[in-house]
Amino acid sequence: MNRESIASYMSDLSRAMLAPIYVLPMVGMAIAIGAAVTNPSIVAAVPFLDNGFFSGMAQVLKWGGLAVIINLHIIFAVGLSVGLAKKDKHLAGFNALILYLVYLYAMNTYLKVNGMLIDGSLAGSGQANVLGLQVVDTGIFVGMLIGIFNAVIHNKYSQKVLTGALALYGESRLVLLIMMPIAMIMGAVFSHIWPPVQHVIQELGTHIMESGHMGVGIYGFMERILIPTGLHHLLWIPLHFTEVGSCAVVSGQTYCGIENIFLAEMTDPTIEKLSHTVVYDARSLVKIFGLTGAALAMYHCADASKKTLVKSILVPAVASSILVGVTEPLEFSFLFVAPILFVVHAMLTGAFMVLISIFDILAIGKGGLIDFIMYNIPLGVTKTGWPYYILLGFVQAATYYVVFRLLITKLNLKTIGRGDAEMKLHTKADYKAKKAGEKPGKVNDIEVGVYNSKAIIEGLGGKDNIVDVQNCYTRLRVEIINPDLVDEAKIQEANPMGIVNKGQSIQIIFGSHVASVRQEVNDFLAMTPA
């Protein structure tokens, strides 16, 4: 396997990981509401909440949400199988569910037969109850492995038809037939190999968490600088959902990963102050404040004759970044035309995360303003210190503004609206306006829609060159057969914010409306004759 194919697969894996992650904002919102309703200070201020009905509903919301957090292992197994499968994704997910249950029961039985089950409290023992079975606690790692292995076998054998007496065991059943013994063997093998691996991972997590302010800054810098590659998910997901982000016992239940720990701690009224792990999740500082300062600097540096148009382009992008934390429309507006700004942006992100750590600000900040309000304000100032987070945010916005404006003017950087720089930042509103004013193009008498599927598909080498079309939060992620057929100039006719060409893996950046683009492209592919 060459470097290009490895990079392509890692990109696919990064994208597939988002399938289980997509559900977490809703889960977090439910937990946050449950925490708010049971928060003593809020109950004291709103007396009608102090009754059995609201208390009971809050518990339902809390444990309904925590049920997802506690069972992320099986969610990752199914989610990765679905995300990596090329065809019949529903069958891949169904098989992954079966295989994870097979793995759990095989491990539990193996531990029982060999007298390896731990009696008494399991807290800190390395074992846990998963779906009612006592097993070695592998977190999401084995779930991910099962999902990946299942997807690999599924992509290779799910279309294989057997004949004669074996006909019943072909296609997706053949995948299950191959994978079931593997899942059973994994149950036995991980009973022995995972405890020492678990120890190493926990030591790594401890090292990261004890690396002090510098570790926080390095994480902040790396999380931003990896965005152009699309591999930043591979950095923050382990930190958020595995032992790499440390483990903690909350209300008798062990949680690993900074986001899981936070969501558990926010619902526990006996915890007066959040764990210091949450300083690693301060991404909303730059989403709400930093990039706003950068956008204002770009606006003020634009040519006077273009400022009205620049404002109409930047304002929706800033709103998207502030409200829901989608930053790529803004980041990619200067990444390709002035890469030095992106490097400085990553450095400033890391520097301000260091300040959050130094000042011991524990407000959670993974998304935009909506998430920030829901997750922090109900918990109170003592538990999170969120007002100081906002104060530091204004300092960050001012710093971004000064630094960006200085660099743009001194280096004469061609940011949006300056000189002959292209006005490439587009929003869904722009596309709707385009749809109202222009007639969509056609291919084989089929309307291609407002997102110009014709340009995208032709630029990718045509339908026969396209293997799979998926999307993450902001990017269309396409797997193709022959990279030589890609015509980036043609793809640009669809007005993307950027293109990342990795050979057989193409990422086309559209922003928060990318799901609509993906749906239109797939609909068009389904209608177009081969």
Side-chain angles (χ1 to χ4, degrees), residues 221 224-225 228 298 331-347 404 407-408 411-415:
F221 172 80
R224 288 291 99 184
I225 206 69
M298 288 190 288
E331 288 170 322
F332 281 90
S333 71
F334 56 82
L335 169 63
F336 297 106
V337 296
I340 188 174
L341 290 180
F342 194 84
V343 175
V344 171
H345 163 51
M347 293 171 66
F404 267 58
L407 290 173
I408 292 170
L411 301 179
N412 193 28
L413 300 176
K414 298 299 182 181
T415 52

Side-chain angles (χ1 to χ4, degrees), residues 190-429:
F190 275 89
S191 297
H192 293 285
I193 71 170
W194 192 254
V197 172
Q198 188 178 50
H199 177 73
V200 172
I201 294 174
Q202 288 176 342
E203 287 294 318
L204 172 64
T206 300
H207 177 70
I208 291 174
M209 303 314 295
E210 291 180 351
S211 60
H213 311 314
M214 186 57 67
V216 178
I218 292 173
Y219 168 74
F221 172 80
M222 293 300 298
E223 197 276 332
R224 288 291 99 184
I225 206 69
L226 286 174
I227 281 181
T229 69
L231 299 178
H232 53 297
H233 308 304
L234 299 181
L235 176 67
W236 67 263
I237 287 177
L239 199 67
H240 279 230
F241 303 108
T242 76
E243 290 92 338
V244 175
S246 77
C247 297
V249 178
V250 182
S251 302
Q253 173 76 39
T254 300
Y255 298 88
C256 293
I258 59 176
E259 187 163 340
N260 294 341
I261 293 171
F262 165 76
L263 290 172
E265 288 184 343
M266 71 183 294
T267 63
D268 191 333
T270 65
I271 296 177
E272 297 181 356
K273 192 173 184 179
L274 295 177
S275 297
H276 285 74
T277 56
V278 299
V279 298
Y280 279 91
D281 199 357
R283 289 171 291 160
S284 67
L285 193 72
V286 73
K287 295 176 180 181
I288 299 172
F289 299 101
L291 285 173
T292 301
L296 186 60
M298 288 190 288
Y299 168 73
H300 283 159
C301 291
D303 296 343
S305 61
K306 299 177 181 177
K307 283 191 174 182
T308 300
L309 180 56
V310 171
K311 183 193 296 184
S312 69
I313 293 173
L314 288 178
V315 167
V318 170
S320 176
S321 181
I322 290 176
L323 294 177
V324 294
V326 176
T327 62
E328 288 186 354
L330 277 175
E331 288 170 322
F332 281 90
S333 71
F334 56 82
L335 169 63
F336 297 106
V337 296
I340 188 174
L341 290 180
F342 194 84
V343 175
V344 171
H345 163 51
M347 293 171 66
L348 288 175
T349 298
F352 274 88
M353 287 186 69
V354 168
L355 292 177
I356 287 174
S357 178
I358 290 174
F359 292 124
D360 198 27
I361 301 171
L362 302 177
I364 195 77
K366 66 192 183 77
L369 184 61
I370 295 174
D371 284 349
F372 182 83
I373 291 173
M374 289 300 300
Y375 288 157
N376 294 283
I377 294 179
L379 299 182
V381 176
T382 303
K383 204 165 187 174
T384 68
W386 62 263
Y388 305 107
Y389 190 98
I390 294 176
L391 181 62
L392 188 62
F394 283 115
V395 175
Q396 187 188 58
T399 303
Y400 263 75
Y401 175 81
V402 171
V403 172
F404 267 58
R405 183 162 187 173
L406 182 65
L407 290 173
I408 292 170
T409 55
K410 294 298 183 182
L411 301 179
N412 193 28
L413 300 176
K414 298 299 182 181
T415 52
I416 190 168
R418 282 178 59 82
D420 58 354
E422 287 187 290
M423 312 289 259
K424 295 301 295 180
L425 185 59
H426 295 273
T427 66
K428 192 169 184 177

Side-chain angles (χ1 to χ4, degrees), residues 84-92 154-155 158-159 467-468:
L84 292 171
K86 304 302 181 186
K87 295 181 179 180
D88 295 330
K89 292 177 177 289
H90 60 297
L91 296 177
H154 176 88
N155 289 334
S158 66
Q159 303 299 309
V467 177
D468 188 44

Side-chain angles (χ1 to χ4, degrees), residues 469-481:
V469 180
Q470 298 294 332
N471 71 277
C472 62
Y473 285 116
T474 56
R475 305 173 185 219
L476 197 69
R477 293 175 178 252
V478 187
E479 182 181 342
I480 60 172
I481 298 171

